[in-house]
Coordinates of all heavy atoms in Angstrom, one line a residue:
M510 N 0.9 -1.1 0.0 CA 0.0 0.0 0.0 C 0.9 1.3 0.0 O 1.8 1.4 0.8 CB -0.9 0.0 1.2 CG -1.8 1.1 1.3 SD -2.9 1.2 2.7 CE -3.1 -0.4 3.4
A511 N 0.7 2.1 -0.8 CA 1.5 3.4 -1.0 C 1.1 4.4 0.1 O -0.1 4.5 0.4 CB 1.2 4.0 -2.3
D512 N 2.1 5.0 0.6 CA 1.9 6.0 1.5 C 1.5 7.4 0.9 O 1.9 7.5 -0.3 CB 3.1 6.3 2.5 CG 3.3 5.2 3.4 OD1 2.4 4.4 3.7 OD2 4.5 5.1 4.0
T513 N 0.8 8.2 1.6 CA 0.6 9.6 1.1 C 0.8 10.5 2.2 O 1.0 10.1 3.3 CB -0.8 9.6 0.6 OG1 -1.0 10.9 -0.1 CG2 -1.9 9.5 1.6
T514 N 0.8 11.8 1.9 CA 1.1 12.9 2.8 C -0.1 13.7 3.1 O -0.8 13.9 2.1 CB 2.3 13.8 2.3 OG1 3.5 13.0 2.2 CG2 2.5 14.9 3.4
V515 N -0.4 14.0 4.3 CA -1.6 14.8 4.7 C -1.0 16.0 5.3 O -0.2 15.9 6.3 CB -2.5 14.0 5.7 CG1 -3.6 15.0 6.0 CG2 -3.1 12.8 5.0
T516 N -1.5 17.1 4.8 CA -1.0 18.4 5.4 C -2.2 19.1 6.2 O -3.3 19.1 5.6 CB -0.4 19.4 4.3 OG1 0.5 18.7 3.6 CG2 0.0 20.7 4.9
I517 N -1.9 19.5 7.4 CA -2.9 20.2 8.2 C -2.3 21.4 8.8 O -1.2 21.5 9.0 CB -3.5 19.3 9.4 CG1 -2.3 18.9 10.3 CG2 -4.1 18.0 8.8 CD1 -2.8 18.2 11.7
R518 N -3.3 22.3 9.1 CA -2.8 23.6 9.8 C -3.2 23.5 11.1 O -4.3 23.0 11.5 CB -3.5 24.8 9.1 CG -3.0 25.1 7.7 CD -3.5 26.4 7.2 NE -3.1 26.6 5.8 CZ -1.9 27.0 5.4 NH1 -1.0 27.2 6.3 NH2 -1.7 27.1 4.1
I519 N -2.2 23.9 12.0 CA -2.5 23.8 13.5 C -1.7 25.0 14.2 O -0.6 25.2 13.7 CB -2.1 22.4 14.0 CG1 -2.5 22.2 15.5 CG2 -0.7 22.1 13.8 CD1 -2.5 20.8 16.0
D520 N -2.2 25.4 15.2 CA -1.5 26.5 15.9 C -0.2 26.0 16.4 O 0.0 24.8 16.8 CB -2.4 26.9 17.2 CG -1.7 27.9 18.1 OD1 -2.0 29.1 17.7 OD2 -1.0 27.5 18.9
E521 N 0.9 26.8 16.2 CA 2.3 26.4 16.5 C 2.3 25.9 17.9 O 3.0 24.9 18.2 CB 3.2 27.6 16.3 CG 4.6 27.2 16.4 CD 5.6 28.4 16.1 OE1 5.3 29.0 15.0 OE2 6.4 28.7 16.9
N522 N 1.8 26.6 18.9 CA 1.8 26.1 20.3 C 1.1 24.8 20.5 O 1.6 23.9 21.3 CB 1.2 27.2 21.2 CG 1.4 27.0 22.7 OD1 2.4 26.5 23.2 ND2 0.3 27.1 23.4
V523 N 0.0 24.6 19.9 CA -0.7 23.3 20.0 C 0.1 22.1 19.4 O 0.2 21.2 20.1 CB -2.1 23.4 19.3 CG1 -2.7 22.1 19.2 CG2 -3.0 24.4 20.0
K524 N 0.7 22.4 18.3 CA 1.6 21.4 17.7 C 2.7 21.0 18.7 O 3.1 19.9 18.9 CB 2.2 22.0 16.5 CG 3.1 20.9 15.8 CD 3.8 21.5 14.4 CE 4.7 20.4 13.9 NZ 6.0 20.7 13.9
R525 N 3.4 22.0 19.2 CA 4.6 21.8 20.2 C 4.1 21.0 21.4 O 4.7 20.1 21.8 CB 5.1 23.1 20.6 CG 6.2 23.0 21.6 CD 6.7 24.2 22.3 NE 5.6 25.0 22.8 CZ 5.1 24.7 24.1 NH1 5.5 23.7 24.7 NH2 4.0 25.5 24.5
R526 N 2.9 21.3 21.9 CA 2.4 20.7 23.1 C 2.0 19.2 22.6 O 2.2 18.2 23.4 CB 1.2 21.4 23.6 CG 1.6 22.7 24.3 CD 0.3 23.5 24.7 NE -0.6 22.8 25.5 CZ -2.0 23.0 25.4 NH1 -2.4 24.0 24.7 NH2 -2.9 22.2 26.1
F527 N 1.4 19.0 21.5 CA 1.1 17.6 21.0 C 2.4 16.8 20.8 O 2.3 15.6 21.2 CB 0.3 17.6 19.7 CG -0.3 16.3 19.3 CD1 -1.2 15.6 20.1 CD2 0.1 15.8 18.1 CE1 -1.6 14.4 19.8 CE2 -0.3 14.6 17.8 CZ -1.3 13.8 18.6
E528 N 3.4 17.4 20.3 CA 4.6 16.7 20.1 C 5.2 16.2 21.5 O 5.8 15.1 21.7 CB 5.7 17.5 19.4 CG 5.4 17.7 18.0 CD 6.4 18.7 17.4 OE1 6.8 19.8 17.9 OE2 6.7 18.5 16.1
E529 N 5.1 17.1 22.5 CA 5.5 16.7 23.7 C 4.7 15.7 24.4 O 5.2 14.7 25.0 CB 5.5 18.0 24.7 CG 6.5 19.0 24.5 CD 6.2 20.3 25.2 OE1 5.4 20.4 26.1 OE2 7.1 21.2 25.0
F530 N 3.3 15.7 24.1 CA 2.5 14.7 24.6 C 2.8 13.4 24.0 O 2.9 12.3 24.6 CB 1.1 15.0 24.4 CG 0.1 13.9 24.5 CD1 -0.4 13.5 25.8 CD2 -0.3 13.2 23.3 CE1 -1.2 12.4 25.9 CE2 -1.2 12.1 23.4 CZ -1.6 11.7 24.7
C531 N 3.1 13.3 22.7 CA 3.4 12.1 22.0 C 4.8 11.5 22.5 O 4.8 10.3 22.7 CB 3.6 12.4 20.5 SG 2.0 12.7 19.6
V532 N 5.7 12.3 22.8 CA 7.0 11.8 23.4 C 6.6 11.2 24.8 O 7.1 10.1 25.1 CB 8.0 13.0 23.6 CG1 9.1 12.6 24.5 CG2 8.5 13.5 22.3
D533 N 5.7 11.8 25.6 CA 5.4 11.2 26.8 C 4.7 9.8 26.6 O 4.9 9.0 27.6 CB 4.3 12.1 27.6 CG 4.9 13.3 28.2 OD1 6.2 13.5 28.2 OD2 4.2 14.3 28.6
V534 N 4.0 9.6 25.7 CA 3.2 8.3 25.5 C 4.1 7.4 24.6 O 3.6 6.3 24.4 CB 1.8 8.5 25.0 CG1 0.9 9.2 26.0 CG2 1.7 9.1 23.7
G535 N 5.2 7.8 24.0 CA 6.1 6.9 23.4 C 5.8 6.7 21.9 O 6.1 5.7 21.3
V536 N 5.2 7.7 21.2 CA 5.0 7.6 19.8 C 5.4 9.0 19.2 O 5.6 10.0 19.9 CB 3.5 7.3 19.4 CG1 3.1 6.0 20.0 CG2 2.5 8.4 19.9
N537 N 5.5 9.0 17.9 CA 5.6 10.3 17.2 C 4.3 10.8 16.7 O 3.3 10.0 16.8 CB 6.8 10.2 16.1 CG 6.3 9.3 15.0 OD1 5.2 9.3 14.5 ND2 7.3 8.6 14.5
M538 N 4.2 12.0 16.2 CA 2.9 12.6 15.7 C 2.3 11.7 14.6 O 1.1 11.6 14.5 CB 3.0 14.0 15.3 CG 3.3 15.0 16.4 SD 3.4 16.7 15.9 CE 1.8 17.0 15.0
S539 N 3.1 11.3 13.6 CA 2.6 10.5 12.6 C 2.0 9.2 13.0 O 0.9 8.9 12.6 CB 3.7 10.2 11.5 OG 3.2 9.5 10.5
V540 N 2.6 8.5 14.0 CA 2.0 7.3 14.5 C 0.7 7.6 15.2 O -0.3 6.9 15.2 CB 3.1 6.6 15.4 CG1 2.4 5.5 16.2 CG2 4.3 6.0 14.6
A541 N 0.7 8.6 16.0 CA -0.6 9.0 16.8 C -1.7 9.2 15.8 O -2.9 8.8 16.1 CB -0.2 10.2 17.7
V542 N -1.5 10.0 14.8 CA -2.5 10.5 13.9 C -2.9 9.2 13.1 O -4.2 8.9 12.9 CB -2.0 11.5 12.9 CG1 -3.0 11.7 11.8 CG2 -1.9 12.8 13.7
N543 N -2.0 8.2 12.7 CA -2.4 7.0 12.0 C -3.2 6.2 13.0 O -4.2 5.5 12.5 CB -1.2 6.3 11.5 CG -0.8 6.8 10.2 OD1 -1.4 6.4 9.2 ND2 0.3 7.5 10.0
M544 N -2.8 6.1 14.2 CA -3.6 5.3 15.2 C -5.0 5.7 15.2 O -6.0 5.0 15.2 CB -2.9 5.3 16.6 CG -1.7 4.6 16.8 SD -0.8 4.9 18.2 CE -2.0 4.5 19.4
F545 N -5.2 7.1 15.4 CA -6.4 7.8 15.5 C -7.3 7.5 14.3 O -8.5 7.0 14.4 CB -6.4 9.2 15.6 CG -7.7 10.0 15.6 CD1 -8.5 10.0 16.6 CD2 -8.1 10.7 14.4 CE1 -9.8 10.6 16.5 CE2 -9.2 11.3 14.4 CZ -10.1 11.3 15.4
I546 N -6.8 7.6 13.1 CA -7.4 7.4 11.8 C -8.0 6.0 11.6 O -9.1 5.7 11.3 CB -6.6 7.9 10.6 CG1 -6.6 9.4 10.7 CG2 -7.4 7.4 9.3 CD1 -5.5 10.0 9.7
R547 N -7.0 5.1 11.9 CA -7.5 3.6 11.7 C -8.5 3.1 12.7 O -9.4 2.4 12.4 CB -6.1 2.8 11.8 CG -5.1 2.9 10.6 CD -3.9 2.2 10.8 NE -3.0 2.3 9.8 CZ -2.8 1.6 8.8 NH1 -3.5 0.5 8.6 NH2 -2.0 1.8 7.8
A548 N -8.3 3.6 13.9 CA -9.3 3.2 14.9 C -10.6 3.8 14.7 O -11.7 3.2 14.9 CB -8.8 3.6 16.3
S549 N -10.7 5.1 14.2 CA -11.8 5.8 13.9 C -12.6 5.0 12.7 O -13.8 4.8 12.8 CB -11.6 7.2 13.4 OG -11.1 7.9 14.4
L550 N -11.9 4.6 11.7 CA -12.5 3.9 10.6 C -13.0 2.5 11.1 O -14.0 2.1 10.6 CB -11.5 3.7 9.5 CG -11.0 4.9 8.6 CD1 -9.9 4.7 7.8 CD2 -12.2 5.5 8.0
R551 N -12.3 1.8 11.9 CA -12.6 0.5 12.4 C -13.8 0.6 13.2 O -14.8 -0.2 13.0 CB -11.5 -0.1 13.1 CG -11.7 -1.5 13.7 CD -10.6 -2.1 14.5 NE -10.3 -1.2 15.8 CZ -9.2 -0.6 16.0 NH1 -8.2 -0.6 15.1 NH2 -9.1 0.1 17.0
E552 N -14.0 1.6 14.1 CA -15.1 1.6 15.1 C -16.1 2.6 14.7 O -17.2 2.6 15.3 CB -14.5 2.1 16.4 CG -13.4 1.0 17.0 CD -13.0 1.3 18.3 OE1 -13.6 2.0 19.0 OE2 -11.8 0.9 18.6
Q553 N -15.9 3.3 13.7 CA -16.9 4.3 13.1 C -17.3 5.3 14.2 O -18.4 5.7 14.4 CB -18.1 3.6 12.6 CG -17.8 2.8 11.3 CD -17.4 3.8 10.2 OE1 -18.2 4.4 9.7 NE2 -16.1 3.6 9.7
K554 N -16.3 5.8 15.0 CA -16.5 6.7 15.9 C -15.2 7.2 16.5 O -14.1 6.7 16.1 CB -17.3 6.2 17.2 CG -16.5 5.1 18.0 CD -17.4 4.6 19.2 CE -16.6 3.6 20.0 NZ -17.2 3.2 21.2
I555 N -15.2 8.3 17.3 CA -13.8 8.7 17.9 C -13.6 7.7 19.0 O -14.3 7.4 19.9 CB -14.0 10.1 18.6 CG1 -14.4 11.1 17.6 CG2 -12.8 10.6 19.3 CD1 -13.6 11.4 16.4
P556 N -12.6 7.0 18.8 CA -12.4 5.6 19.4 C -11.8 5.4 20.8 O -12.0 4.5 21.4 CB -11.6 4.7 18.4 CG -10.8 5.8 17.7 CD -11.5 7.0 17.7
F557 N -11.0 6.4 21.2 CA -10.2 6.1 22.4 C -9.7 7.4 23.0 O -9.7 8.3 22.4 CB -9.0 5.2 22.0 CG -8.1 5.7 20.9 CD1 -7.1 6.6 21.1 CD2 -8.4 5.2 19.6 CE1 -6.4 7.1 20.1 CE2 -7.5 5.7 18.6 CZ -6.7 6.6 18.9
T558 N -9.2 7.2 24.3 CA -8.5 8.2 25.0 C -7.1 7.8 25.3 O -6.9 6.7 25.8 CB -9.3 8.6 26.3 OG1 -10.6 8.9 26.0 CG2 -8.5 9.6 27.0
I559 N -6.2 8.6 25.0 CA -4.8 8.4 25.4 C -4.4 9.4 26.4 O -4.5 10.6 26.0 CB -3.8 8.4 24.1 CG1 -4.2 7.2 23.2 CG2 -2.3 8.2 24.5 CD1 -3.4 7.4 21.9
E560 N -3.9 9.0 27.5 CA -3.5 9.9 28.6 C -2.0 9.9 28.8 O -1.4 9.0 28.6 CB -4.3 9.6 29.9 CG -5.8 9.7 29.7 CD -6.5 9.5 31.1 OE1 -5.8 9.2 32.0 OE2 -7.6 9.6 31.1
S561 N -1.5 11.1 29.2 CA -0.1 11.2 29.5 C 0.2 10.5 30.8 O -0.6 10.5 31.7 CB 0.2 12.6 29.7 OG 1.5 12.9 30.2
P562 N 1.3 9.9 30.9 CA 1.7 9.4 32.2 C 1.7 10.3 33.4 O 1.8 9.9 34.5 CB 3.0 8.6 32.0 CG 3.4 8.8 30.6 CD 2.3 9.7 29.9
R563 N 1.7 11.6 33.0 CA 1.7 12.6 34.1 C 0.4 12.7 34.9 O 0.2 13.2 35.9 CB 1.8 14.0 33.4 CG 3.2 14.2 32.9 CD 3.3 15.5 32.2 NE 4.4 15.6 31.3 CZ 4.7 16.7 30.5 NH1 3.9 17.7 30.5 NH2 5.7 16.6 29.8
N564 N -0.7 11.9 34.4 CA -2.0 11.8 34.9 C -1.8 10.8 36.1 O -2.3 9.7 36.0 CB -3.0 11.5 33.9 CG -4.4 11.4 34.6 OD1 -4.6 11.5 35.8 ND2 -5.5 11.2 33.8
S565 N -1.2 11.1 37.2 CA -0.9 10.2 38.3 C -2.2 9.7 38.9 O -2.3 8.7 39.4 CB 0.0 10.8 39.3 OG -0.5 12.0 39.8
Y566 N -3.2 10.6 39.0 CA -4.5 10.1 39.7 C -5.0 8.9 38.9 O -5.4 8.0 39.4 CB -5.5 11.3 39.8 CG -6.7 10.7 40.3 CD1 -6.9 10.3 41.7 CD2 -7.9 10.5 39.5 CE1 -8.3 10.0 42.1 CE2 -9.1 10.1 39.8 CZ -9.3 9.9 41.2 OH -10.4 9.3 41.6
G567 N -5.0 9.2 37.5 CA -5.7 8.1 36.6 C -4.8 6.9 36.7 O -5.4 5.8 36.7
L568 N -3.6 7.0 36.7 CA -2.6 5.8 36.7 C -2.8 5.0 38.1 O -2.9 3.8 38.1 CB -1.2 6.1 36.6 CG -0.9 6.7 35.1 CD1 0.6 7.1 35.0 CD2 -1.2 5.6 34.1
A569 N -2.9 5.8 39.2 CA -3.1 5.2 40.5 C -4.5 4.4 40.6 O -4.5 3.3 41.1 CB -3.1 6.2 41.6
L570 N -5.5 5.1 40.1 CA -6.9 4.4 40.0 C -6.9 3.2 39.1 O -7.4 2.1 39.5 CB -7.9 5.4 39.5 CG -9.4 5.1 39.5 CD1 -9.8 4.6 40.8 CD2 -10.2 6.0 38.8
L571 N -6.2 3.2 38.0 CA -6.1 2.1 37.1 C -5.3 1.0 37.8 O -5.7 -0.2 37.7 CB -5.4 2.5 35.8 CG -5.2 1.4 34.7 CD1 -6.6 0.7 34.4 CD2 -4.5 1.8 33.5
S572 N -4.3 1.3 38.5 CA -3.4 0.2 39.3 C -4.4 -0.3 40.4 O -4.3 -1.6 40.5 CB -2.3 0.9 39.9 OG -1.5 0.1 40.6
E573 N -5.1 0.4 41.0 CA -6.0 -0.1 42.1 C -7.0 -1.1 41.5 O -7.4 -2.1 42.0 CB -6.7 1.1 42.8 CG -5.8 1.8 43.7 CD -6.6 3.0 44.4 OE1 -7.8 3.0 44.5 OE2 -5.9 4.0 44.8
M574 N -7.7 -0.6 40.4 CA -8.6 -1.5 39.7 C -8.1 -2.8 39.2 O -8.7 -3.9 39.4 CB -9.3 -0.6 38.5 CG -10.2 0.5 38.9 SD -10.6 1.6 37.5 CE -11.5 0.5 36.5
R575 N -6.9 -2.7 38.7 CA -6.3 -4.0 38.2 C -6.0 -4.9 39.4 O -6.2 -6.1 39.2 CB -4.9 -3.7 37.6 CG -5.2 -3.1 36.0 CD -3.9 -2.9 35.3 NE -4.3 -2.6 33.9 CZ -3.5 -1.8 33.2 NH1 -2.3 -1.2 33.7 NH2 -3.8 -1.5 31.9
A576 N -5.5 -4.3 40.5 CA -5.2 -5.1 41.7 C -6.5 -5.9 42.2 O -6.5 -7.0 42.6 CB -4.5 -4.3 42.8
E577 N -7.6 -5.0 42.3 CA -8.9 -5.6 42.8 C -9.4 -6.7 41.8 O -9.9 -7.7 42.3 CB -10.0 -4.4 42.9 CG -11.3 -5.0 43.3 CD -12.2 -3.8 43.6 OE1 -11.9 -2.6 43.5 OE2 -13.5 -4.2 43.7
A578 N -9.2 -6.5 40.5 CA -9.7 -7.4 39.5 C -8.9 -8.7 39.7 O -9.4 -9.8 39.6 CB -9.5 -7.0 38.1
E579 N -7.6 -8.6 39.9 CA -6.8 -9.8 40.2 C -7.2 -10.5 41.4 O -7.3 -11.7 41.4 CB -5.3 -9.4 40.2 CG -4.4 -10.5 40.3 CD -2.9 -10.1 40.2 OE1 -2.5 -9.2 39.6 OE2 -2.0 -10.7 41.0
E580 N -7.5 -9.8 42.4 CA -7.9 -10.4 43.7 C -9.2 -11.2 43.4 O -9.4 -12.3 44.0 CB -8.1 -9.4 44.8 CG -6.9 -8.8 45.4 CD -7.2 -7.7 46.4 OE1 -8.4 -7.6 46.8 OE2 -6.3 -7.0 46.8
R581 N -10.1 -10.7 42.6 CA -11.3 -11.3 42.4 C -11.3 -12.4 41.4 O -12.3 -13.0 41.0 CB -12.4 -10.2 42.0 CG -12.7 -9.3 43.1 CD -13.7 -8.3 42.7 NE -14.1 -7.4 43.8 CZ -15.3 -6.8 43.8 NH1 -16.2 -6.9 42.8 NH2 -15.5 -5.9 44.7
G582 N -10.0 -12.6 40.7 CA -9.9 -13.6 39.8 C -10.5 -13.2 38.4 O -10.7 -14.1 37.5
F583 N -10.6 -11.9 38.1 CA -11.0 -11.4 36.8 C -9.8 -11.6 35.8 O -8.6 -11.7 36.2 CB -11.5 -10.0 36.8 CG -12.6 -9.7 37.6 CD1 -12.9 -8.4 38.0 CD2 -13.6 -10.7 37.9 CE1 -14.0 -8.2 38.8 CE2 -14.7 -10.4 38.6 CZ -15.0 -9.2 39.0
L584 N -10.0 -11.6 34.5 CA -9.1 -11.7 33.5 C -8.2 -10.4 33.4 O -8.7 -9.3 33.7 CB -9.6 -12.0 32.1 CG -10.3 -13.3 32.0 CD1 -11.0 -13.3 30.5 CD2 -9.5 -14.4 32.1
S585 N -6.9 -10.6 33.2 CA -6.0 -9.5 33.0 C -6.2 -8.8 31.7 O -6.9 -9.4 30.8 CB -4.6 -9.9 33.2 OG -4.2 -10.6 32.1
D586 N -5.7 -7.6 31.5 CA -5.8 -7.0 30.2 C -5.2 -7.9 29.0 O -5.8 -8.1 28.0 CB -5.1 -5.6 30.1 CG -5.8 -4.7 31.0 OD1 -6.9 -4.8 31.4 OD2 -5.1 -3.5 31.3
D587 N -4.1 -8.6 29.4 CA -3.5 -9.4 28.4 C -4.3 -10.6 28.1 O -4.4 -11.0 26.9 CB -2.1 -9.7 28.9 CG -1.1 -8.7 29.0 OD1 -1.3 -7.7 28.2 OD2 -0.1 -8.7 29.7
E588 N -4.9 -11.2 29.0 CA -5.8 -12.4 28.9 C -7.0 -12.0 28.1 O -7.4 -12.8 27.2 CB -6.2 -13.0 30.3 CG -5.0 -13.5 31.0 CD -5.4 -13.9 32.6 OE1 -6.1 -13.1 33.1 OE2 -4.9 -14.9 32.9
I589 N -7.6 -10.8 28.4 CA -8.8 -10.4 27.6 C -8.3 -10.2 26.1 O -9.0 -10.6 25.2 CB -9.3 -9.0 28.1 CG1 -10.0 -9.4 29.5 CG2 -10.3 -8.4 27.2 CD1 -10.4 -8.1 30.2
E590 N -7.2 -9.5 26.0 CA -6.8 -9.3 24.5 C -6.5 -10.6 23.8 O -6.9 -10.8 22.7 CB -5.5 -8.5 24.5 CG -4.9 -8.2 23.1 CD -5.9 -7.4 22.3 OE1 -6.7 -6.5 22.8 OE2 -5.7 -7.5 21.1
A591 N -5.9 -11.6 24.5 CA -5.7 -12.9 24.0 C -7.0 -13.6 23.5 O -7.1 -14.2 22.5 CB -4.8 -13.8 24.9
E592 N -8.0 -13.5 24.4 CA -9.2 -14.1 24.1 C -9.9 -13.4 22.9 O -10.5 -14.0 22.0 CB -10.2 -14.0 25.3 CG -9.7 -15.0 26.4 CD -10.9 -15.5 27.3 OE1 -12.0 -15.2 26.9 OE2 -10.5 -16.2 28.2
I593 N -9.8 -12.1 22.8 CA -10.3 -11.4 21.6 C -9.7 -11.9 20.4 O -10.3 -12.1 19.3 CB -10.2 -9.9 21.9 CG1 -11.2 -9.4 23.0 CG2 -10.4 -9.1 20.5 CD1 -10.8 -8.0 23.4
Q594 N -8.3 -11.9 20.4 CA -7.5 -12.4 19.2 C -7.9 -13.9 18.8 O -8.1 -14.1 17.7 CB -6.0 -12.3 19.5 CG -5.6 -10.8 19.7 CD -6.0 -10.0 18.5 OE1 -5.9 -10.4 17.3 NE2 -6.3 -8.6 18.8
A595 N -8.1 -14.7 19.8 CA -8.5 -16.1 19.6 C -9.9 -16.1 18.9 O -10.2 -16.9 18.0 CB -8.5 -17.0 20.7
A596 N -10.9 -15.3 19.4 CA -12.2 -15.2 18.9 C -12.2 -14.8 17.5 O -12.9 -15.3 16.5 CB -13.1 -14.4 19.7
R597 N -11.4 -13.8 17.1 CA -11.2 -13.2 15.8 C -10.7 -14.2 14.9 O -11.1 -14.4 13.7 CB -10.4 -11.9 15.9 CG -11.1 -10.8 16.5 CD -10.3 -9.5 16.5 NE -10.9 -8.4 17.0 CZ -10.4 -7.3 17.5 NH1 -9.1 -7.1 17.4 NH2 -11.2 -6.2 17.9
A598 N -9.7 -14.9 15.3 CA -9.1 -16.0 14.4 C -10.1 -17.1 14.2 O -10.2 -17.6 13.1 CB -7.8 -16.6 15.2
D599 N -10.8 -17.4 15.2 CA -12.0 -18.5 15.0 C -12.9 -17.9 13.9 O -13.4 -18.8 13.1 CB -12.6 -18.7 16.4 CG -13.6 -19.9 16.3 OD1 -13.3 -20.9 15.7 OD2 -14.7 -19.7 16.8
I600 N -13.4 -16.7 14.1 CA -14.3 -16.2 13.1 C -13.7 -16.2 11.7 O -14.4 -16.6 10.8 CB -14.7 -14.7 13.5 CG1 -15.6 -14.7 14.8 CG2 -15.5 -14.1 12.4 CD1 -15.8 -13.5 15.5
R601 N -12.5 -15.8 11.6 CA -11.9 -15.8 10.2 C -11.7 -17.2 9.7 O -11.9 -17.4 8.5 CB -10.4 -15.1 10.3 CG -10.5 -13.6 10.4 CD -9.1 -13.0 10.1 NE -8.2 -13.4 11.3 CZ -8.0 -12.7 12.4 NH1 -8.7 -11.6 12.7 NH2 -7.1 -13.1 13.3
A602 N -11.5 -18.2 10.6 CA -11.3 -19.6 10.2 C -12.6 -20.1 9.6 O -12.7 -21.0 8.7 CB -10.7 -20.4 11.2
R603 N -13.7 -19.7 10.2 CA -15.0 -20.2 9.8 C -15.6 -19.5 8.5 O -16.5 -20.1 8.0 CB -16.0 -19.9 10.8 CG -15.9 -20.8 12.1 CD -17.0 -20.7 13.0 NE -16.6 -20.3 14.3 CZ -17.3 -19.7 15.2 NH1 -18.6 -19.6 15.1 NH2 -16.9 -19.3 16.4
R604 N -15.0 -18.5 8.1 CA -15.4 -17.8 6.9 C -15.1 -18.5 5.6 O -14.2 -19.2 5.3 CB -14.8 -16.3 6.7 CG -15.4 -15.4 7.8 CD -14.9 -14.0 7.6 NE -15.4 -13.2 8.6 CZ -15.0 -12.0 9.0 NH1 -14.0 -11.5 8.3 NH2 -15.6 -11.3 9.9

């Protein structure tokens, strides 16, 4: 598949802040925009929230929720993802 270039206009300060955010979450701007576009097309909606690790309250809450889920015997994020992938593979195999 051939790549193409998309040009957008954005406030210089907003661009700088977004670049800093992307560094915080470990991607570059191109990867972040591609993630957004692909997820939007797949889900037919604005699909997700990505938060900076600077959001310590959110990270602490997520950590507490994961610990509680583990105590109760719920599936981990990785186990859920593995089950989703297995189900998708099964659906593809039946087609």
Side-chain angles (χ1 to χ4, degrees):
M510 181 182 335
D512 285 345
T513 188
T514 300
V515 175
T516 303
I517 61 170
R518 293 194 183 277
I519 188 168
D520 179 90
E521 188 176 309
N522 185 46
V523 171
K524 179 183 180 250
R525 181 190 52 75
R526 290 175 47 216
F527 186 64
E528 286 173 325
E529 291 171 0
F530 168 78
C531 288
V532 168
D533 283 350
V534 297
V536 299
N537 62 39
M538 286 181 59
S539 181
V540 170
V542 170
N543 271 286
M544 288 169 59
F545 172 78
I546 291 170
R547 289 173 185 264
S549 296
L550 292 172
R551 181 182 62 245
E552 298 181 26
Q553 293 295 294
K554 65 178 184 172
I555 303 298
F557 53 84
T558 301
I559 298 176
E560 294 182 359
S561 168
R563 293 181 196 173
N564 182 354
S565 59
Y566 173 76
L568 292 175
L570 182 59
L571 181 60
S572 179
E573 289 175 25
M574 290 171 60
R575 284 183 173 150
E577 182 178 345
E579 187 175 320
E580 285 176 16
R581 293 180 178 205
F583 295 160
L584 296 176
S585 71
D586 293 346
D587 291 337
E588 291 168 323
I589 292 169
E590 182 63 27
E592 290 210 5
I593 290 169
Q594 295 304 322
R597 287 179 177 162
D599 184 48
I600 290 168
R601 283 191 297 272
R603 286 191 242 165
R604 288 184 184 164

